[in-house]
PDB file of all heavy atoms in Angstrom:
ATOM      1  N   VAL A   1     -29.359 -77.919  24.835  1.00 96.00           N
ATOM      2  CA  VAL A   1     -29.974 -76.599  24.662  1.00 96.00           C
ATOM      3  C   VAL A   1     -28.977 -75.562  25.161  1.00 96.00           C
ATOM      4  O   VAL A   1     -28.041 -75.877  25.902  1.00 96.00           O
ATOM      5  CB  VAL A   1     -31.295 -76.478  25.442  1.00 96.00           C
ATOM      6  CG1 VAL A   1     -32.310 -77.500  24.935  1.00 96.00           C
ATOM      7  CG2 VAL A   1     -31.080 -76.639  26.938  1.00 96.00           C
ATOM      8  N   ARG A   2     -29.146 -74.326  24.763  1.00 93.00           N
ATOM      9  CA  ARG A   2     -28.246 -73.269  25.208  1.00 93.00           C
ATOM     10  C   ARG A   2     -28.872 -72.546  26.389  1.00 93.00           C
ATOM     11  O   ARG A   2     -30.024 -72.161  26.363  1.00 93.00           O
ATOM     12  CB  ARG A   2     -27.941 -72.289  24.072  1.00 93.00           C
ATOM     13  CG  ARG A   2     -26.874 -71.253  24.447  1.00 93.00           C
ATOM     14  CD  ARG A   2     -26.216 -70.680  23.229  1.00 93.00           C
ATOM     15  NE  ARG A   2     -25.432 -71.658  22.500  1.00 93.00           N
ATOM     16  CZ  ARG A   2     -24.164 -71.961  22.764  1.00 93.00           C
ATOM     17  NH1 ARG A   2     -23.542 -71.370  23.771  1.00 93.00           N
ATOM     18  NH2 ARG A   2     -23.522 -72.832  22.033  1.00 93.00           N
ATOM     19  N   MET A   3     -28.064 -72.402  27.440  1.00 90.00           N
ATOM     20  CA  MET A   3     -28.519 -71.749  28.668  1.00 90.00           C
ATOM     21  C   MET A   3     -27.430 -70.804  29.137  1.00 90.00           C
ATOM     22  O   MET A   3     -26.338 -71.252  29.522  1.00 90.00           O
ATOM     23  CB  MET A   3     -28.806 -72.802  29.742  1.00 90.00           C
ATOM     24  CG  MET A   3     -29.301 -72.252  31.059  1.00 90.00           C
ATOM     25  SD  MET A   3     -31.043 -71.814  30.974  1.00 90.00           S
ATOM     26  CE  MET A   3     -31.340 -71.360  32.678  1.00 90.00           C
ATOM     27  N   ASP A   4     -27.686 -69.511  29.050  1.00 88.00           N
ATOM     28  CA  ASP A   4     -26.717 -68.497  29.486  1.00 88.00           C
ATOM     29  C   ASP A   4     -25.350 -68.702  28.832  1.00 88.00           C
ATOM     30  O   ASP A   4     -24.304 -68.599  29.471  1.00 88.00           O
ATOM     31  CB  ASP A   4     -26.578 -68.528  31.015  1.00 88.00           C
ATOM     32  CG  ASP A   4     -27.884 -68.196  31.715  1.00 88.00           C
ATOM     33  OD1 ASP A   4     -28.691 -67.428  31.152  1.00 88.00           O
ATOM     34  OD2 ASP A   4     -28.109 -68.710  32.822  1.00 88.00           O
ATOM     35  N   GLY A   5     -25.386 -69.020  27.545  1.00 90.00           N
ATOM     36  CA  GLY A   5     -24.162 -69.155  26.762  1.00 90.00           C
ATOM     37  C   GLY A   5     -23.516 -70.515  26.800  1.00 90.00           C
ATOM     38  O   GLY A   5     -22.502 -70.738  26.117  1.00 90.00           O
ATOM     39  N   ASP A   6     -24.060 -71.464  27.565  1.00 93.00           N
ATOM     40  CA  ASP A   6     -23.488 -72.804  27.678  1.00 93.00           C
ATOM     41  C   ASP A   6     -24.430 -73.838  27.081  1.00 93.00           C
ATOM     42  O   ASP A   6     -25.655 -73.678  27.102  1.00 93.00           O
ATOM     43  CB  ASP A   6     -23.229 -73.165  29.146  1.00 93.00           C
ATOM     44  CG  ASP A   6     -22.161 -72.297  29.766  1.00 93.00           C
ATOM     45  OD1 ASP A   6     -21.103 -72.113  29.126  1.00 93.00           O
ATOM     46  OD2 ASP A   6     -22.369 -71.814  30.896  1.00 93.00           O
ATOM     47  N   GLU A   7     -23.858 -74.932  26.565  1.00 96.00           N
ATOM     48  CA  GLU A   7     -24.647 -76.067  26.110  1.00 96.00           C
ATOM     49  C   GLU A   7     -24.965 -76.953  27.316  1.00 96.00           C
ATOM     50  O   GLU A   7     -24.066 -77.367  28.047  1.00 96.00           O
ATOM     51  CB  GLU A   7     -23.876 -76.870  25.064  1.00 96.00           C
ATOM     52  CG  GLU A   7     -23.652 -76.140  23.752  1.00 96.00           C
ATOM     53  CD  GLU A   7     -24.930 -76.026  22.934  1.00 96.00           C
ATOM     54  OE1 GLU A   7     -25.701 -77.005  22.903  1.00 96.00           O
ATOM     55  OE2 GLU A   7     -25.161 -74.961  22.339  1.00 96.00           O
ATOM     56  N   VAL A   8     -26.242 -77.246  27.508  1.00 98.00           N
ATOM     57  CA  VAL A   8     -26.698 -78.075  28.621  1.00 98.00           C
ATOM     58  C   VAL A   8     -27.626 -79.151  28.068  1.00 98.00           C
ATOM     59  O   VAL A   8     -28.543 -78.846  27.289  1.00 98.00           O
ATOM     60  CB  VAL A   8     -27.458 -77.246  29.682  1.00 98.00           C
ATOM     61  CG1 VAL A   8     -27.861 -78.119  30.868  1.00 98.00           C
ATOM     62  CG2 VAL A   8     -26.635 -76.056  30.139  1.00 98.00           C
ATOM     63  N   TYR A   9     -27.405 -80.396  28.454  1.00 98.00           N
ATOM     64  CA  TYR A   9     -28.260 -81.490  28.002  1.00 98.00           C
ATOM     65  C   TYR A   9     -29.542 -81.517  28.816  1.00 98.00           C
ATOM     66  O   TYR A   9     -29.527 -81.340  30.042  1.00 98.00           O
ATOM     67  CB  TYR A   9     -27.524 -82.821  28.179  1.00 98.00           C
ATOM     68  CG  TYR A   9     -28.329 -84.041  27.815  1.00 98.00           C
ATOM     69  CD1 TYR A   9     -28.494 -84.437  26.495  1.00 98.00           C
ATOM     70  CD2 TYR A   9     -28.931 -84.815  28.810  1.00 98.00           C
ATOM     71  CE1 TYR A   9     -29.224 -85.564  26.161  1.00 98.00           C
ATOM     72  CE2 TYR A   9     -29.662 -85.941  28.495  1.00 98.00           C
ATOM     73  CZ  TYR A   9     -29.802 -86.313  27.167  1.00 98.00           C
ATOM     74  OH  TYR A   9     -30.520 -87.436  26.857  1.00 98.00           O
ATOM     75  N   VAL A  10     -30.664 -81.750  28.141  1.00 98.00           N
ATOM     76  CA  VAL A  10     -31.936 -81.951  28.826  1.00 98.00           C
ATOM     77  C   VAL A  10     -32.622 -83.198  28.268  1.00 98.00           C
ATOM     78  O   VAL A  10     -32.477 -83.536  27.090  1.00 98.00           O
ATOM     79  CB  VAL A  10     -32.884 -80.739  28.701  1.00 98.00           C
ATOM     80  CG1 VAL A  10     -32.306 -79.525  29.399  1.00 98.00           C
ATOM     81  CG2 VAL A  10     -33.214 -80.425  27.248  1.00 98.00           C
ATOM     82  N   ASP A  11     -33.342 -83.867  29.119  1.00 98.00           N
ATOM     83  CA  ASP A  11     -34.179 -85.016  28.773  1.00 98.00           C
ATOM     84  C   ASP A  11     -35.463 -84.788  29.554  1.00 98.00           C
ATOM     85  O   ASP A  11     -35.553 -85.117  30.741  1.00 98.00           O
ATOM     86  CB  ASP A  11     -33.483 -86.318  29.182  1.00 98.00           C
ATOM     87  CG  ASP A  11     -34.313 -87.565  28.881  1.00 98.00           C
ATOM     88  OD1 ASP A  11     -35.502 -87.435  28.536  1.00 98.00           O
ATOM     89  OD2 ASP A  11     -33.771 -88.680  29.032  1.00 98.00           O
ATOM     90  N   CYS A  12     -36.474 -84.208  28.907  1.00 98.00           N
ATOM     91  CA  CYS A  12     -37.646 -83.744  29.647  1.00 98.00           C
ATOM     92  C   CYS A  12     -38.860 -83.727  28.730  1.00 98.00           C
ATOM     93  O   CYS A  12     -38.741 -83.533  27.524  1.00 98.00           O
ATOM     94  CB  CYS A  12     -37.408 -82.357  30.232  1.00 98.00           C
ATOM     95  SG  CYS A  12     -36.861 -81.106  29.035  1.00 98.00           S
ATOM     96  N   ALA A  13     -40.032 -83.924  29.314  1.00 98.00           N
ATOM     97  CA  ALA A  13     -41.261 -83.905  28.540  1.00 98.00           C
ATOM     98  C   ALA A  13     -42.438 -83.743  29.490  1.00 98.00           C
ATOM     99  O   ALA A  13     -42.315 -83.950  30.705  1.00 98.00           O
ATOM    100  CB  ALA A  13     -41.413 -85.187  27.725  1.00 98.00           C
ATOM    101  N   VAL A  14     -43.579 -83.410  28.917  1.00 98.00           N
ATOM    102  CA  VAL A  14     -44.792 -83.255  29.707  1.00 98.00           C
ATOM    103  C   VAL A  14     -45.947 -83.984  29.042  1.00 98.00           C
ATOM    104  O   VAL A  14     -45.976 -84.196  27.829  1.00 98.00           O
ATOM    105  CB  VAL A  14     -45.172 -81.773  29.913  1.00 98.00           C
ATOM    106  CG1 VAL A  14     -44.154 -81.067  30.782  1.00 98.00           C
ATOM    107  CG2 VAL A  14     -45.363 -81.057  28.579  1.00 98.00           C
ATOM    108  N   SER A  15     -46.902 -84.346  29.886  1.00 97.00           N
ATOM    109  CA  SER A  15     -48.171 -84.893  29.410  1.00 97.00           C
ATOM    110  C   SER A  15     -49.293 -84.012  29.933  1.00 97.00           C
ATOM    111  O   SER A  15     -49.100 -83.195  30.838  1.00 97.00           O
ATOM    112  CB  SER A  15     -48.367 -86.331  29.895  1.00 97.00           C
ATOM    113  OG  SER A  15     -48.757 -86.363  31.253  1.00 97.00           O
ATOM    114  N   SER A  16     -50.475 -84.198  29.369  1.00 97.00           N
ATOM    115  CA  SER A  16     -51.641 -83.536  29.930  1.00 97.00           C
ATOM    116  C   SER A  16     -51.957 -84.156  31.285  1.00 97.00           C
ATOM    117  O   SER A  16     -51.439 -85.208  31.648  1.00 97.00           O
ATOM    118  CB  SER A  16     -52.833 -83.689  28.980  1.00 97.00           C
ATOM    119  OG  SER A  16     -53.184 -85.062  28.835  1.00 97.00           O
ATOM    120  N   CYS A  17     -52.803 -83.483  32.019  1.00 93.00           N
ATOM    121  CA  CYS A  17     -53.180 -83.921  33.365  1.00 93.00           C
ATOM    122  C   CYS A  17     -54.658 -84.300  33.332  1.00 93.00           C
ATOM    123  O   CYS A  17     -55.529 -83.429  33.287  1.00 93.00           O
ATOM    124  CB  CYS A  17     -52.922 -82.804  34.363  1.00 93.00           C
ATOM    125  SG  CYS A  17     -53.242 -83.227  36.076  1.00 93.00           S
ATOM    126  N   ALA A  18     -54.942 -85.601  33.350  1.00 86.00           N
ATOM    127  CA  ALA A  18     -56.305 -86.066  33.148  1.00 86.00           C
ATOM    128  C   ALA A  18     -57.152 -86.013  34.408  1.00 86.00           C
ATOM    129  O   ALA A  18     -58.366 -85.845  34.340  1.00 86.00           O
ATOM    130  CB  ALA A  18     -56.290 -87.500  32.603  1.00 86.00           C
ATOM    131  N   VAL A  19     -56.520 -86.190  35.565  1.00 75.00           N
ATOM    132  CA  VAL A  19     -57.261 -86.235  36.829  1.00 75.00           C
ATOM    133  C   VAL A  19     -56.494 -85.452  37.881  1.00 75.00           C
ATOM    134  O   VAL A  19     -55.278 -85.247  37.765  1.00 75.00           O
ATOM    135  CB  VAL A  19     -57.449 -87.696  37.309  1.00 75.00           C
ATOM    136  CG1 VAL A  19     -58.342 -88.470  36.367  1.00 75.00           C
ATOM    137  CG2 VAL A  19     -56.105 -88.394  37.473  1.00 75.00           C
ATOM    138  N   PRO A  20     -57.170 -84.992  38.947  1.00 73.00           N
ATOM    139  CA  PRO A  20     -56.442 -84.322  40.036  1.00 73.00           C
ATOM    140  C   PRO A  20     -55.457 -85.285  40.701  1.00 73.00           C
ATOM    141  O   PRO A  20     -55.764 -86.464  40.876  1.00 73.00           O
ATOM    142  CB  PRO A  20     -57.563 -83.909  41.001  1.00 73.00           C
ATOM    143  CG  PRO A  20     -58.813 -83.934  40.190  1.00 73.00           C
ATOM    144  CD  PRO A  20     -58.622 -85.005  39.168  1.00 73.00           C
ATOM    145  N   PHE A  21     -54.300 -84.782  41.060  1.00 71.00           N
ATOM    146  CA  PHE A  21     -53.285 -85.610  41.703  1.00 71.00           C
ATOM    147  C   PHE A  21     -53.048 -85.124  43.122  1.00 71.00           C
ATOM    148  O   PHE A  21     -52.651 -83.979  43.341  1.00 71.00           O
ATOM    149  CB  PHE A  21     -51.973 -85.567  40.914  1.00 71.00           C
ATOM    150  CG  PHE A  21     -51.971 -86.476  39.721  1.00 71.00           C
ATOM    151  CD1 PHE A  21     -52.439 -86.033  38.495  1.00 71.00           C
ATOM    152  CD2 PHE A  21     -51.525 -87.780  39.832  1.00 71.00           C
ATOM    153  CE1 PHE A  21     -52.452 -86.861  37.407  1.00 71.00           C
ATOM    154  CE2 PHE A  21     -51.532 -88.632  38.734  1.00 71.00           C
ATOM    155  CZ  PHE A  21     -52.000 -88.174  37.521  1.00 71.00           C
ATOM    156  N   ASP A  22     -53.312 -86.017  44.074  1.00 71.00           N
ATOM    157  CA  ASP A  22     -53.024 -85.719  45.477  1.00 71.00           C
ATOM    158  C   ASP A  22     -51.624 -86.209  45.812  1.00 71.00           C
ATOM    159  O   ASP A  22     -51.145 -87.194  45.264  1.00 71.00           O
ATOM    160  CB  ASP A  22     -54.040 -86.412  46.385  1.00 71.00           C
ATOM    161  CG  ASP A  22     -55.464 -85.911  46.166  1.00 71.00           C
ATOM    162  OD1 ASP A  22     -55.597 -84.699  45.899  1.00 71.00           O
ATOM    163  OD2 ASP A  22     -56.394 -86.718  46.253  1.00 71.00           O
ATOM    164  N   GLY A  23     -50.980 -85.535  46.732  1.00 71.00           N
ATOM    165  CA  GLY A  23     -49.677 -85.986  47.205  1.00 71.00           C
ATOM    166  C   GLY A  23     -48.525 -85.701  46.270  1.00 71.00           C
ATOM    167  O   GLY A  23     -47.431 -86.241  46.452  1.00 71.00           O
ATOM    168  N   MET A  24     -48.728 -84.858  45.265  1.00 81.00           N
ATOM    169  CA  MET A  24     -47.624 -84.491  44.390  1.00 81.00           C
ATOM    170  C   MET A  24     -46.700 -83.530  45.126  1.00 81.00           C
ATOM    171  O   MET A  24     -47.157 -82.717  45.942  1.00 81.00           O
ATOM    172  CB  MET A  24     -48.142 -83.816  43.116  1.00 81.00           C
ATOM    173  CG  MET A  24     -48.835 -84.766  42.154  1.00 81.00           C
ATOM    174  SD  MET A  24     -47.715 -86.032  41.523  1.00 81.00           S
ATOM    175  CE  MET A  24     -46.586 -85.028  40.566  1.00 81.00           C
ATOM    176  N   PRO A  25     -45.393 -83.608  44.866  1.00 83.00           N
ATOM    177  CA  PRO A  25     -44.488 -82.685  45.543  1.00 83.00           C
ATOM    178  C   PRO A  25     -44.745 -81.239  45.160  1.00 83.00           C
ATOM    179  O   PRO A  25     -45.088 -80.938  44.013  1.00 83.00           O
ATOM    180  CB  PRO A  25     -43.102 -83.147  45.069  1.00 83.00           C
ATOM    181  CG  PRO A  25     -43.342 -83.875  43.795  1.00 83.00           C
ATOM    182  CD  PRO A  25     -44.684 -84.516  43.947  1.00 83.00           C
ATOM    183  N   ARG A  26     -44.624 -80.362  46.133  1.00 88.00           N
ATOM    184  CA  ARG A  26     -44.692 -78.920  45.896  1.00 88.00           C
ATOM    185  C   ARG A  26     -43.413 -78.323  46.451  1.00 88.00           C
ATOM    186  O   ARG A  26     -42.911 -78.760  47.488  1.00 88.00           O
ATOM    187  CB  ARG A  26     -45.925 -78.320  46.551  1.00 88.00           C
ATOM    188  CG  ARG A  26     -47.229 -78.915  46.009  1.00 88.00           C
ATOM    189  CD  ARG A  26     -48.434 -78.404  46.748  1.00 88.00           C
ATOM    190  NE  ARG A  26     -48.696 -76.999  46.417  1.00 88.00           N
ATOM    191  CZ  ARG A  26     -49.661 -76.297  46.998  1.00 88.00           C
ATOM    192  NH1 ARG A  26     -50.411 -76.845  47.946  1.00 88.00           N
ATOM    193  NH2 ARG A  26     -49.866 -75.040  46.638  1.00 88.00           N
ATOM    194  N   PHE A  27     -42.885 -77.345  45.772  1.00 95.00           N
ATOM    195  CA  PHE A  27     -41.537 -76.881  46.038  1.00 95.00           C
ATOM    196  C   PHE A  27     -41.549 -75.456  46.578  1.00 95.00           C
ATOM    197  O   PHE A  27     -42.464 -74.679  46.301  1.00 95.00           O
ATOM    198  CB  PHE A  27     -40.703 -76.964  44.759  1.00 95.00           C
ATOM    199  CG  PHE A  27     -40.821 -78.293  44.064  1.00 95.00           C
ATOM    200  CD1 PHE A  27     -41.700 -78.462  42.998  1.00 95.00           C
ATOM    201  CD2 PHE A  27     -40.100 -79.377  44.498  1.00 95.00           C
ATOM    202  CE1 PHE A  27     -41.837 -79.676  42.366  1.00 95.00           C
ATOM    203  CE2 PHE A  27     -40.224 -80.614  43.875  1.00 95.00           C
ATOM    204  CZ  PHE A  27     -41.093 -80.761  42.805  1.00 95.00           C
ATOM    205  N   SER A  28     -40.507 -75.126  47.333  1.00 95.00           N
ATOM    206  CA  SER A  28     -40.396 -73.762  47.844  1.00 95.00           C
ATOM    207  C   SER A  28     -39.824 -72.816  46.801  1.00 95.00           C
ATOM    208  O   SER A  28     -39.835 -71.603  46.985  1.00 95.00           O
ATOM    209  CB  SER A  28     -39.525 -73.740  49.107  1.00 95.00           C
ATOM    210  OG  SER A  28     -38.211 -74.188  48.814  1.00 95.00           O
ATOM    211  N   GLY A  29     -39.322 -73.368  45.710  1.00 96.00           N
ATOM    212  CA  GLY A  29     -38.738 -72.581  44.632  1.00 96.00           C
ATOM    213  C   GLY A  29     -37.811 -73.461  43.823  1.00 96.00           C
ATOM    214  O   GLY A  29     -37.889 -74.693  43.882  1.00 96.00           O
ATOM    215  N   THR A  30     -36.936 -72.843  43.061  1.00 97.00           N
ATOM    216  CA  THR A  30     -35.911 -73.564  42.300  1.00 97.00           C
ATOM    217  C   THR A  30     -34.549 -72.968  42.633  1.00 97.00           C
ATOM    218  O   THR A  30     -34.452 -71.819  43.077  1.00 97.00           O
ATOM    219  CB  THR A  30     -36.160 -73.481  40.781  1.00 97.00           C
ATOM    220  OG1 THR A  30     -36.099 -72.113  40.372  1.00 97.00           O
ATOM    221  CG2 THR A  30     -37.521 -74.062  40.421  1.00 97.00           C
ATOM    222  N   ALA A  31     -33.500 -73.757  42.404  1.00 97.00           N
ATOM    223  CA  ALA A  31     -32.153 -73.290  42.709  1.00 97.00           C
ATOM    224  C   ALA A  31     -31.153 -74.082  41.890  1.00 97.00           C
ATOM    225  O   ALA A  31     -31.465 -75.154  41.348  1.00 97.00           O
ATOM    226  CB  ALA A  31     -31.853 -73.441  44.208  1.00 97.00           C
ATOM    227  N   ALA A  32     -29.944 -73.564  41.788  1.00 97.00           N
ATOM    228  CA  ALA A  32     -28.837 -74.287  41.172  1.00 97.00           C
ATOM    229  C   ALA A  32     -28.188 -75.178  42.222  1.00 97.00           C
ATOM    230  O   ALA A  32     -27.990 -74.769  43.365  1.00 97.00           O
ATOM    231  CB  ALA A  32     -27.819 -73.306  40.610  1.00 97.00           C
ATOM    232  N   ALA A  33     -27.885 -76.405  41.852  1.00 97.00           N
ATOM    233  CA  ALA A  33     -27.238 -77.339  42.770  1.00 97.00           C
ATOM    234  C   ALA A  33     -25.763 -76.992  42.914  1.00 97.00           C
ATOM    235  O   ALA A  33     -25.109 -76.577  41.949  1.00 97.00           O
ATOM    236  CB  ALA A  33     -27.387 -78.767  42.268  1.00 97.00           C
ATOM    237  N   GLU A  34     -25.238 -77.153  44.115  1.00 95.00           N
ATOM    238  CA  GLU A  34     -23.832 -76.888  44.396  1.00 95.00           C
ATOM    239  C   GLU A  34     -23.119 -78.190  44.746  1.00 95.00           C
ATOM    240  O   GLU A  34     -23.682 -79.035  45.447  1.00 95.00           O
ATOM    241  CB  GLU A  34     -23.704 -75.916  45.572  1.00 95.00           C
ATOM    242  CG  GLU A  34     -24.327 -74.550  45.332  1.00 95.00           C
ATOM    243  CD  GLU A  34     -23.566 -73.736  44.318  1.00 95.00           C
ATOM    244  OE1 GLU A  34     -22.374 -74.046  44.088  1.00 95.00           O
ATOM    245  OE2 GLU A  34     -24.148 -72.791  43.748  1.00 95.00           O
TER     246      GLU A  34
END
């Protein structure tokens, strides 16, 4: 996919959420890895 003028590979998908999930990770935000 194109991101800010660069080609970046992604392998990603989503499903519906059938039941409540306890203990799922929650994040403080997102960032670029260094």
Side-chain angles (χ1 to χ4, degrees):
V1 298
R2 187 158 294 274
M3 181 78 175
D4 298 330
D6 294 313
E7 293 287 320
V8 183
Y9 177 80
V10 295
D11 179 350
C12 53
V14 293
S15 77
S16 63
C17 184
V19 294
F21 280 88
D22 297 324
M24 288 297 294
R26 299 175 72 184
F27 311 97
S28 62
T30 62
E34 298 290 340

